[in-house]
Coordinates of all heavy atoms in Angstrom, one line a residue:
M1 N 15.8 7.9 21.1 CA 14.5 8.4 20.8 C 13.8 8.7 22.1 O 13.9 8.1 23.1 CB 13.6 7.4 20.0 CG 14.1 7.2 18.6 SD 12.8 6.3 17.7 CE 13.6 6.1 16.2
V2 N 12.9 9.7 22.0 CA 12.2 10.2 23.2 C 10.9 9.5 23.4 O 10.2 9.2 22.4 CB 11.9 11.8 23.0 CG1 11.2 12.3 24.1 CG2 13.2 12.5 22.7
K3 N 10.4 9.3 24.6 CA 9.1 8.8 24.9 C 8.1 9.9 25.1 O 8.3 10.6 26.1 CB 9.2 7.8 26.1 CG 7.9 7.1 26.3 CD 7.9 6.2 27.5 CE 6.6 5.6 27.7 NZ 6.6 4.7 28.9
Q4 N 7.2 10.1 24.2 CA 6.2 11.1 24.4 C 4.8 10.5 24.1 O 4.7 9.4 23.6 CB 6.4 12.2 23.3 CG 7.7 13.0 23.6 CD 7.8 14.2 22.6 OE1 6.9 14.4 21.8 NE2 8.8 14.9 22.8
N5 N 3.8 11.2 24.5 CA 2.4 10.7 24.3 C 1.8 11.3 23.0 O 1.6 12.5 23.0 CB 1.5 11.1 25.5 CG 1.9 10.3 26.8 OD1 2.4 9.2 26.7 ND2 1.7 10.9 27.9
F6 N 1.7 10.5 22.0 CA 1.1 10.9 20.8 C -0.2 10.1 20.6 O -0.3 9.0 21.1 CB 2.1 10.6 19.6 CG 3.3 11.4 19.6 CD1 4.5 10.9 19.9 CD2 3.3 12.8 19.3 CE1 5.7 11.6 19.9 CE2 4.4 13.6 19.3 CZ 5.7 13.0 19.6
Y7 N -1.0 10.7 19.7 CA -2.2 10.0 19.3 C -1.9 9.4 17.9 O -1.7 10.2 17.0 CB -3.4 10.9 19.2 CG -3.8 11.4 20.6 CD1 -3.5 12.7 20.9 CD2 -4.5 10.6 21.5 CE1 -3.9 13.2 22.2 CE2 -4.8 11.1 22.8 CZ -4.5 12.4 23.1 OH -4.9 12.9 24.3
C8 N -1.8 8.1 17.8 CA -1.5 7.5 16.5 C -2.7 6.7 16.0 O -3.3 5.9 16.7 CB -0.3 6.5 16.7 SG 1.1 7.3 17.4
V9 N -3.1 6.9 14.7 CA -4.3 6.3 14.2 C -3.9 5.6 12.9 O -3.3 6.2 12.0 CB -5.4 7.4 13.9 CG1 -6.6 6.8 13.3 CG2 -5.7 8.2 15.2
I10 N -4.3 4.4 12.8 CA -4.3 3.6 11.5 C -5.7 3.5 11.0 O -6.5 2.9 11.7 CB -3.6 2.2 11.7 CG1 -2.2 2.4 12.1 CG2 -3.8 1.4 10.4 CD1 -1.4 1.0 12.3
D11 N -6.0 4.0 9.8 CA -7.3 3.9 9.2 C -7.1 2.9 8.1 O -6.5 3.1 7.1 CB -7.7 5.2 8.7 CG -9.1 5.1 8.0 OD1 -9.8 4.1 8.2 OD2 -9.4 6.0 7.2
S12 N -7.7 1.7 8.3 CA -7.6 0.6 7.3 C -8.9 0.6 6.5 O -9.9 0.0 6.9 CB -7.4 -0.7 8.1 OG -7.3 -1.8 7.2
G13 N -8.8 1.2 5.4 CA -10.0 1.2 4.5 C -9.9 0.0 3.5 O -8.9 -0.7 3.5
F14 N -10.9 -0.1 2.6 CA -10.9 -1.2 1.6 C -9.7 -1.0 0.6 O -9.1 -2.0 0.2 CB -12.2 -1.2 0.9 CG -12.3 -2.4 0.0 CD1 -12.4 -3.7 0.5 CD2 -12.3 -2.2 -1.4 CE1 -12.5 -4.8 -0.4 CE2 -12.4 -3.3 -2.3 CZ -12.5 -4.6 -1.8
S15 N -9.4 0.2 0.2 CA -8.4 0.4 -0.9 C -7.2 1.2 -0.4 O -6.2 1.3 -1.1 CB -9.0 1.1 -2.1 OG -9.5 2.4 -1.7
K16 N -7.2 1.8 0.8 CA -6.1 2.6 1.2 C -5.8 2.3 2.7 O -6.7 2.0 3.5 CB -6.4 4.1 1.1 CG -6.5 4.5 -0.4 CD -6.7 6.0 -0.4 CE -7.1 6.4 -1.8 NZ -6.3 7.0 -2.7
L17 N -4.6 2.5 3.0 CA -4.1 2.4 4.4 C -3.5 3.7 4.8 O -2.6 4.2 4.2 CB -3.1 1.3 4.5 CG -2.6 0.8 5.8 CD1 -3.7 0.3 6.7 CD2 -1.5 -0.2 5.7
R18 N -4.1 4.3 5.9 CA -3.6 5.6 6.3 C -3.1 5.6 7.7 O -3.7 4.9 8.5 CB -4.8 6.6 6.3 CG -5.4 6.9 4.9 CD -6.7 7.7 5.0 NE -7.4 7.7 3.8 CZ -8.3 6.9 3.4 NH1 -8.7 5.9 4.2 NH2 -8.9 7.0 2.3
F19 N -2.0 6.3 7.9 CA -1.4 6.3 9.3 C -1.1 7.8 9.6 O -0.5 8.5 8.8 CB -0.1 5.5 9.3 CG 0.4 5.4 10.7 CD1 -0.2 4.6 11.7 CD2 1.6 6.1 11.0 CE1 0.3 4.5 12.9 CE2 2.1 6.0 12.3 CZ 1.5 5.2 13.3
S20 N -1.6 8.2 10.7 CA -1.4 9.6 11.2 C -1.0 9.7 12.6 O -1.4 8.8 13.4 CB -2.7 10.5 11.0 OG -3.1 10.5 9.7
V21 N -0.1 10.7 12.9 CA 0.3 10.9 14.3 C 0.0 12.3 14.7 O 0.3 13.2 13.9 CB 1.9 10.7 14.4 CG1 2.3 10.9 15.8 CG2 2.2 9.3 14.0
F22 N -0.7 12.5 15.8 CA -1.1 13.8 16.3 C -0.4 14.0 17.6 O -0.2 13.1 18.5 CB -2.6 13.8 16.5 CG -3.4 13.6 15.2 CD1 -3.8 12.3 14.9 CD2 -3.6 14.6 14.4 CE1 -4.5 12.1 13.7 CE2 -4.3 14.4 13.2 CZ -4.8 13.1 12.8
S23 N -0.1 15.3 17.9 CA 0.5 15.7 19.1 C -0.6 15.7 20.2 O -1.8 15.6 19.9 CB 1.1 17.1 19.0 OG 0.0 18.1 18.9
P24 N -0.3 15.9 21.5 CA -1.3 16.0 22.5 C -2.3 17.2 22.3 O -3.4 17.2 22.8 CB -0.5 16.2 23.8 CG 0.8 15.5 23.5 CD 1.1 15.8 22.1
D25 N -1.8 18.2 21.5 CA -2.7 19.3 21.2 C -3.5 19.1 19.9 O -4.1 20.0 19.4 CB -1.8 20.6 21.0 CG -1.0 21.0 22.2 OD1 -1.5 20.6 23.3 OD2 0.0 21.5 22.0
L26 N -3.5 17.8 19.4 CA -4.2 17.4 18.2 C -3.6 18.1 16.9 O -4.4 18.2 16.0 CB -5.7 17.5 18.3 CG -6.3 16.7 19.5 CD1 -7.8 16.9 19.5 CD2 -6.0 15.2 19.3
E27 N -2.4 18.4 16.9 CA -1.7 18.9 15.7 C -1.2 17.8 14.9 O -0.5 16.9 15.5 CB -0.6 19.9 16.1 CG 0.2 20.4 14.9 CD 1.4 21.2 15.4 OE1 1.4 21.7 16.5 OE2 2.3 21.4 14.6
N28 N -1.5 17.7 13.6 CA -1.0 16.6 12.8 C 0.5 16.7 12.6 O 1.0 17.7 12.0 CB -1.7 16.7 11.4 CG -1.5 15.4 10.6 OD1 -0.6 14.6 11.0 ND2 -2.2 15.2 9.6
I29 N 1.2 15.7 13.1 CA 2.7 15.7 13.0 C 3.2 14.9 11.8 O 4.1 15.3 11.1 CB 3.3 15.2 14.3 CG1 2.9 16.1 15.5 CG2 4.8 15.0 14.2 CD1 3.3 15.5 16.8
F30 N 2.5 13.8 11.5 CA 2.9 12.9 10.5 C 1.6 12.3 9.9 O 0.7 11.9 10.6 CB 3.8 11.8 11.0 CG 4.1 10.7 10.0 CD1 5.2 10.9 9.1 CD2 3.4 9.5 9.9 CE1 5.5 9.9 8.2 CE2 3.7 8.6 9.0 CZ 4.8 8.8 8.1
S31 N 1.6 12.1 8.6 CA 0.5 11.5 7.9 C 1.1 10.9 6.6 O 1.8 11.5 5.9 CB -0.6 12.5 7.5 OG -1.7 11.9 7.0
E32 N 0.6 9.6 6.3 CA 1.1 8.9 5.1 C -0.1 8.0 4.7 O -0.7 7.4 5.5 CB 2.3 8.1 5.4 CG 2.9 7.5 4.1 CD 4.3 6.9 4.4 OE1 4.9 7.2 5.4 OE2 4.7 6.1 3.5
T33 N -0.3 7.9 3.4 CA -1.3 7.0 2.8 C -0.7 6.2 1.7 O 0.1 6.6 0.9 CB -2.5 7.9 2.2 OG1 -3.0 8.8 3.2 CG2 -3.6 7.0 1.7
I34 N -1.1 4.9 1.7 CA -0.7 4.0 0.7 C -1.9 3.3 0.1 O -2.8 3.0 0.9 CB 0.4 3.0 1.1 CG1 -0.1 2.1 2.3 CG2 1.7 3.7 1.5 CD1 0.9 1.0 2.7
S35 N -1.8 2.9 -1.1 CA -2.9 2.2 -1.7 C -2.6 0.7 -1.6 O -1.6 0.2 -1.9 CB -3.0 2.5 -3.2 OG -3.4 3.8 -3.4
T36 N -3.6 0.0 -1.0 CA -3.5 -1.5 -0.8 C -4.9 -2.1 -0.7 O -5.8 -1.4 -0.3 CB -2.6 -1.8 0.4 OG1 -2.4 -3.2 0.5 CG2 -3.2 -1.3 1.7
K37 N -5.0 -3.3 -1.0 CA -6.3 -4.0 -0.7 C -6.3 -4.7 0.6 O -5.3 -5.3 1.1 CB -6.4 -5.1 -1.8 CG -6.7 -4.6 -3.2 CD -8.1 -4.0 -3.2 CE -8.4 -3.6 -4.6 NZ -9.7 -2.9 -4.7
F38 N -7.3 -4.5 1.4 CA -7.5 -5.1 2.7 C -7.7 -6.6 2.7 O -8.8 -7.0 2.2 CB -8.6 -4.3 3.5 CG -8.8 -5.0 4.8 CD1 -7.9 -4.8 5.8 CD2 -10.0 -5.7 5.1 CE1 -8.1 -5.4 7.1 CE2 -10.2 -6.2 6.3 CZ -9.3 -6.1 7.3
Q39 N -6.8 -7.3 3.2 CA -6.9 -8.8 3.3 C -6.2 -9.2 4.5 O -5.0 -9.1 4.6 CB -6.4 -9.5 2.0 CG -7.2 -9.2 0.8 CD -6.6 -9.9 -0.4 OE1 -5.5 -10.4 -0.4 NE2 -7.4 -10.0 -1.5
L40 N -6.9 -9.7 5.5 CA -6.3 -10.1 6.8 C -5.4 -11.3 6.6 O -4.4 -11.5 7.3 CB -7.4 -10.5 7.8 CG -8.0 -9.3 8.5 CD1 -9.1 -9.8 9.4 CD2 -7.0 -8.6 9.3
D41 N -5.6 -12.2 5.6 CA -4.8 -13.4 5.4 C -3.5 -13.1 4.6 O -2.7 -14.0 4.3 CB -5.6 -14.5 4.8 CG -6.2 -14.1 3.4 OD1 -6.2 -12.9 3.1 OD2 -6.6 -15.0 2.7
D42 N -3.3 -11.8 4.1 CA -2.1 -11.4 3.3 C -1.0 -10.9 4.3 O -1.2 -9.9 4.9 CB -2.5 -10.4 2.3 CG -1.4 -10.0 1.4 OD1 -0.4 -10.7 1.4 OD2 -1.6 -9.0 0.7
P43 N 0.1 -11.6 4.4 CA 1.2 -11.1 5.3 C 1.8 -9.8 4.8 O 2.3 -9.1 5.6 CB 2.2 -12.3 5.2 CG 1.9 -13.1 4.1 CD 0.4 -12.9 3.7
N44 N 1.7 -9.5 3.5 CA 2.2 -8.2 3.0 C 1.5 -7.0 3.6 O 2.0 -5.9 3.7 CB 2.2 -8.2 1.5 CG 3.2 -9.2 0.9 OD1 4.3 -9.4 1.5 ND2 2.9 -9.7 -0.2
Y45 N 0.2 -7.2 3.9 CA -0.6 -6.1 4.4 C -0.1 -5.7 5.7 O 0.1 -4.5 6.0 CB -2.1 -6.6 4.6 CG -3.0 -5.6 5.0 CD1 -3.5 -4.6 4.1 CD2 -3.5 -5.5 6.3 CE1 -4.3 -3.6 4.4 CE2 -4.3 -4.5 6.7 CZ -4.8 -3.5 5.7 OH -5.6 -2.5 6.1
F46 N 0.3 -6.6 6.6 CA 0.9 -6.3 7.9 C 2.3 -5.7 7.8 O 2.7 -4.9 8.6 CB 0.8 -7.5 8.8 CG -0.6 -7.8 9.2 CD1 -1.2 -8.9 8.6 CD2 -1.3 -7.0 10.1 CE1 -2.5 -9.2 8.9 CE2 -2.7 -7.3 10.3 CZ -3.3 -8.4 9.7
L47 N 3.0 -6.1 6.7 CA 4.4 -5.6 6.5 C 4.2 -4.1 6.1 O 5.1 -3.3 6.5 CB 5.1 -6.3 5.4 CG 5.6 -7.7 5.8 CD1 6.2 -8.4 4.5 CD2 6.6 -7.6 6.9
E48 N 3.2 -3.7 5.4 CA 2.9 -2.3 5.0 C 2.6 -1.5 6.2 O 3.1 -0.4 6.4 CB 1.8 -2.2 4.0 CG 2.1 -2.9 2.7 CD 3.2 -2.2 1.9 OE1 3.4 -0.9 2.1 OE2 3.8 -2.8 1.1
I49 N 1.9 -2.1 7.2 CA 1.6 -1.4 8.4 C 2.9 -1.1 9.2 O 3.1 -0.1 9.7 CB 0.5 -2.2 9.3 CG1 -0.8 -2.2 8.6 CG2 0.4 -1.6 10.7 CD1 -1.9 -3.0 9.3
K50 N 3.7 -2.2 9.2 CA 5.0 -2.1 9.9 C 5.9 -1.0 9.3 O 6.5 -0.2 10.1 CB 5.7 -3.4 9.9 CG 6.7 -3.7 11.0 CD 7.1 -5.1 10.8 CE 7.9 -5.6 12.0 NZ 8.3 -6.9 12.0
K51 N 5.9 -0.9 8.0 CA 6.7 0.2 7.3 C 6.2 1.5 7.7 O 7.0 2.5 7.9 CB 6.6 0.0 5.8 CG 7.4 -1.1 5.3 CD 7.3 -1.2 3.8 CE 7.8 -2.5 3.2 NZ 7.5 -2.5 1.7
L52 N 4.8 1.7 7.7 CA 4.3 3.0 8.0 C 4.7 3.4 9.5 O 5.0 4.6 9.7 CB 2.7 3.0 7.9 CG 2.1 2.9 6.5 CD1 0.6 2.7 6.6 CD2 2.5 4.2 5.8
I53 N 4.6 2.5 10.4 CA 5.0 2.8 11.8 C 6.4 3.2 11.9 O 6.8 4.2 12.5 CB 4.6 1.6 12.7 CG1 3.1 1.4 12.8 CG2 5.2 1.8 14.1 CD1 2.7 0.1 13.4
K54 N 7.3 2.4 11.2 CA 8.8 2.8 11.2 C 9.0 4.1 10.6 O 9.9 4.9 11.1 CB 9.6 1.7 10.6 CG 9.6 0.4 11.4 CD 10.5 -0.6 10.7 CE 10.5 -1.9 11.5 NZ 11.6 -2.0 12.5
N55 N 8.4 4.4 9.5 CA 8.5 5.8 8.9 C 8.1 6.9 9.8 O 8.8 7.9 9.9 CB 7.7 5.9 7.6 CG 8.3 5.1 6.5 OD1 9.5 4.6 6.5 ND2 7.5 4.8 5.4
A56 N 7.0 6.7 10.5 CA 6.5 7.7 11.5 C 7.5 7.8 12.6 O 7.8 9.0 13.0 CB 5.1 7.3 12.0
E57 N 8.0 6.7 13.2 CA 9.0 6.8 14.3 C 10.2 7.6 13.9 O 10.8 8.4 14.6 CB 9.4 5.4 14.8 CG 8.3 4.8 15.5 CD 8.6 3.4 16.0 OE1 9.5 2.7 15.4 OE2 8.0 2.9 17.0
K58 N 10.7 7.4 12.6 CA 11.9 8.1 12.1 C 11.5 9.6 12.0 O 12.3 10.5 12.4 CB 12.3 7.6 10.8 CG 13.0 6.3 10.9 CD 13.4 5.8 9.5 CE 13.9 4.4 9.5 NZ 14.2 3.9 8.2
K59 N 10.4 9.9 11.5 CA 10.0 11.3 11.3 C 9.8 12.1 12.6 O 10.2 13.2 12.7 CB 8.7 11.3 10.4 CG 8.0 12.7 10.3 CD 8.7 13.5 9.2 CE 7.9 14.8 9.0 NZ 8.6 15.7 8.2
I60 N 9.1 11.5 13.6 CA 8.9 12.2 14.8 C 9.9 12.0 15.9 O 9.9 12.6 16.9 CB 7.5 11.8 15.4 CG1 7.5 10.3 15.8 CG2 6.4 12.1 14.4 CD1 6.2 9.9 16.5
S61 N 10.9 11.1 15.6 CA 12.0 10.8 16.5 C 11.5 10.4 17.9 O 12.0 10.9 18.9 CB 12.9 12.1 16.6 OG 13.5 12.4 15.4
A62 N 10.6 9.5 17.9 CA 10.0 9.0 19.1 C 9.4 7.6 18.8 O 9.1 7.3 17.7 CB 8.9 9.9 19.7
Y63 N 9.4 6.8 19.9 CA 8.7 5.5 19.8 C 7.2 5.6 19.8 O 6.7 6.4 20.6 CB 9.2 4.6 20.9 CG 10.7 4.2 20.8 CD1 11.6 4.5 21.7 CD2 11.1 3.4 19.7 CE1 12.9 4.2 21.6 CE2 12.4 3.0 19.6 CZ 13.3 3.4 20.5 OH 14.6 3.0 20.4
I64 N 6.6 4.8 19.1 CA 5.1 4.7 19.1 C 4.7 3.6 19.9 O 5.1 2.4 19.7 CB 4.6 4.6 17.6 CG1 4.9 5.9 16.9 CG2 3.1 4.3 17.6 CD1 4.6 5.9 15.4
N65 N 3.9 3.8 21.0 CA 3.5 2.8 21.9 C 2.1 2.4 21.7 O 1.8 1.2 21.6 CB 3.6 3.3 23.3 CG 5.1 3.5 23.7 OD1 6.0 2.8 23.3 ND2 5.3 4.6 24.5
D66 N 1.1 3.3 21.6 CA -0.3 3.0 21.4 C -0.8 3.4 20.1 O -0.4 4.5 19.6 CB -1.1 3.7 22.5 CG -0.7 3.2 23.9 OD1 -0.4 2.0 24.1 OD2 -0.6 4.1 24.8
I67 N -1.6 2.6 19.5 CA -2.2 2.9 18.2 C -3.7 2.7 18.2 O -4.2 1.7 18.7 CB -1.6 2.0 17.1 CG1 -0.1 2.3 17.0 CG2 -2.3 2.2 15.7 CD1 0.6 1.4 16.0
I68 N -4.4 3.6 17.7 CA -5.9 3.5 17.5 C -6.1 2.9 16.1 O -5.6 3.5 15.1 CB -6.6 4.8 17.6 CG1 -6.3 5.4 19.0 CG2 -8.1 4.7 17.3 CD1 -6.7 6.9 19.1
L69 N -6.7 1.8 16.0 CA -6.9 1.1 14.7 C -8.4 1.1 14.3 O -9.3 0.8 15.1 CB -6.5 -0.4 14.8 CG -6.7 -1.3 13.6 CD1 -5.9 -0.7 12.5 CD2 -6.3 -2.7 14.0
T70 N -8.7 1.6 13.1 CA -10.0 1.7 12.6 C -10.1 0.8 11.3 O -9.2 0.8 10.5 CB -10.5 3.1 12.3 OG1 -9.7 3.6 11.3 CG2 -10.4 4.0 13.5
F71 N -11.2 0.1 11.2 CA -11.4 -0.7 10.0 C -12.6 -0.2 9.2 O -13.6 0.3 9.8 CB -11.7 -2.2 10.3 CG -10.5 -3.0 10.7 CD1 -10.2 -3.2 12.0 CD2 -9.7 -3.5 9.8 CE1 -9.1 -3.9 12.4 CE2 -8.6 -4.2 10.1 CZ -8.3 -4.4 11.5
D72 N -12.6 -0.3 7.9 CA -13.7 0.1 7.1 C -13.9 -1.0 6.0 O -13.1 -1.0 5.1 CB -13.5 1.5 6.4 CG -14.6 2.0 5.6 OD1 -15.7 1.4 5.8 OD2 -14.5 2.9 4.8
T73 N -14.8 -1.8 6.2 CA -15.0 -2.9 5.2 C -16.3 -2.7 4.5 O -17.1 -1.8 4.8 CB -15.1 -4.3 6.0 OG1 -16.3 -4.2 6.8 CG2 -13.9 -4.5 6.8
S74 N -16.6 -3.5 3.4 CA -17.8 -3.3 2.6 C -19.0 -3.6 3.4 O -20.1 -3.2 3.1 CB -17.7 -4.2 1.4 OG -17.5 -5.5 1.7
E75 N -18.9 -4.4 4.5 CA -20.0 -4.8 5.4 C -20.3 -3.7 6.4 O -21.3 -3.8 7.2 CB -19.8 -6.1 6.0 CG -19.8 -7.3 5.1 CD -18.4 -7.6 4.6 OE1 -17.5 -7.3 5.3 OE2 -18.3 -8.1 3.4
T76 N -19.5 -2.7 6.5 CA -19.7 -1.7 7.6 C -20.7 -0.7 7.2 O -20.7 -0.2 6.0 CB -18.3 -1.0 7.8 OG1 -17.3 -1.9 8.2 CG2 -18.5 0.0 9.0
F77 N -21.6 -0.4 8.1 CA -22.6 0.7 7.8 C -22.3 1.8 8.7 O -22.3 1.7 9.9 CB -24.0 0.1 8.1 CG -25.1 1.1 7.9 CD1 -25.5 1.4 6.6 CD2 -25.8 1.6 8.9 CE1 -26.5 2.4 6.4 CE2 -26.8 2.5 8.7 CZ -27.2 2.9 7.4
I78 N -22.0 3.0 8.1 CA -21.6 4.2 8.9 C -22.7 5.3 8.8 O -23.2 5.5 7.7 CB -20.3 4.7 8.4 CG1 -19.2 3.6 8.6 CG2 -19.9 6.0 9.1 CD1 -17.9 3.9 7.9
I79 N -23.0 5.9 9.9 CA -23.9 7.0 9.9 C -23.0 8.2 10.5 O -22.4 8.1 11.5 CB -25.1 6.8 10.9 CG1 -25.9 5.6 10.3 CG2 -25.9 8.1 11.0 CD1 -27.1 5.2 11.2
D80 N -23.0 9.3 9.7 CA -22.3 10.5 10.1 C -23.3 11.6 10.4 O -24.1 12.0 9.5 CB -21.3 10.9 8.9 CG -20.4 12.0 9.3 OD1 -20.3 12.3 10.5 OD2 -19.7 12.5 8.4
I81 N -23.2 12.1 11.6 CA -24.2 13.2 12.0 C -23.3 14.4 12.4 O -22.4 14.3 13.1 CB -25.0 12.7 13.2 CG1 -25.8 11.5 12.8 CG2 -25.9 13.8 13.7 CD1 -26.6 10.8 13.9
S82 N -23.8 15.5 11.9 CA -23.1 16.8 12.4 C -24.1 17.8 12.8 O -25.3 17.8 12.2 CB -22.2 17.3 11.2 OG -23.0 17.7 10.1
L83 N -23.7 18.7 13.7 CA -24.6 19.7 14.1 C -24.1 21.1 13.7 O -22.9 21.3 13.7 CB -24.7 19.7 15.7 CG -25.2 18.5 16.3 CD1 -25.1 18.6 17.8 CD2 -26.7 18.3 15.9
S84 N -24.9 21.9 13.2 CA -24.5 23.2 12.7 C -25.3 24.3 13.4 O -26.3 24.1 13.9 CB -24.5 23.3 11.2 OG -25.8 23.0 10.7

């Protein structure tokens, strides 16, 4: 496998787990979503993350070194601002 610089993002929401890999040009190379409940004390949750990473490595034929991890819990308050 080749060592390349990709942007890898895990979005851990309350009901879904999303994993995406982007090229240095921010082109989406790989994306997968699974339905799961977020529970830190559940070992199966981390096994699902591991499966997503292995699937991505197979698809892009490269090792994944760095991952950006985002959490979205029911206690999180998010403000989204856009300019037009």
Side-chain angles (χ1 to χ4, degrees):
M1 290 191 185
V2 179
K3 183 178 178 184
Q4 293 185 359
N5 292 328
F6 293 109
Y7 297 104
C8 304
V9 180
I10 293 179
D11 178 20
S12 178
F14 184 73
S15 62
K16 293 184 194 255
L17 186 63
R18 297 173 191 91
F19 186 72
S20 297
V21 179
F22 300 93
S23 71
D25 301 331
L26 298 179
E27 178 185 339
N28 191 348
I29 298 173
F30 175 83
S31 185
E32 188 173 342
T33 302
I34 57 171
S35 295
T36 184
K37 289 288 183 184
F38 174 71
Q39 294 178 342
L40 280 176
D41 58 347
D42 184 10
N44 291 329
Y45 186 76
F46 293 102
L47 289 175
E48 294 296 331
I49 292 174
K50 205 174 193 179
K51 285 182 197 176
L52 286 174
I53 294 170
K54 288 185 183 266
N55 288 344
E57 287 180 335
K58 287 179 189 175
K59 172 78 175 172
I60 66 174
S61 299
Y63 291 115
I64 294 174
N65 295 323
D66 298 322
I67 296 175
I68 299 167
L69 177 62
T70 63
F71 283 101
D72 183 16
T73 64
S74 59
E75 291 90 29
T76 305
F77 181 71
I78 298 173
I79 298 175
D80 188 10
I81 300 173
S82 64
L83 300 173
S84 54

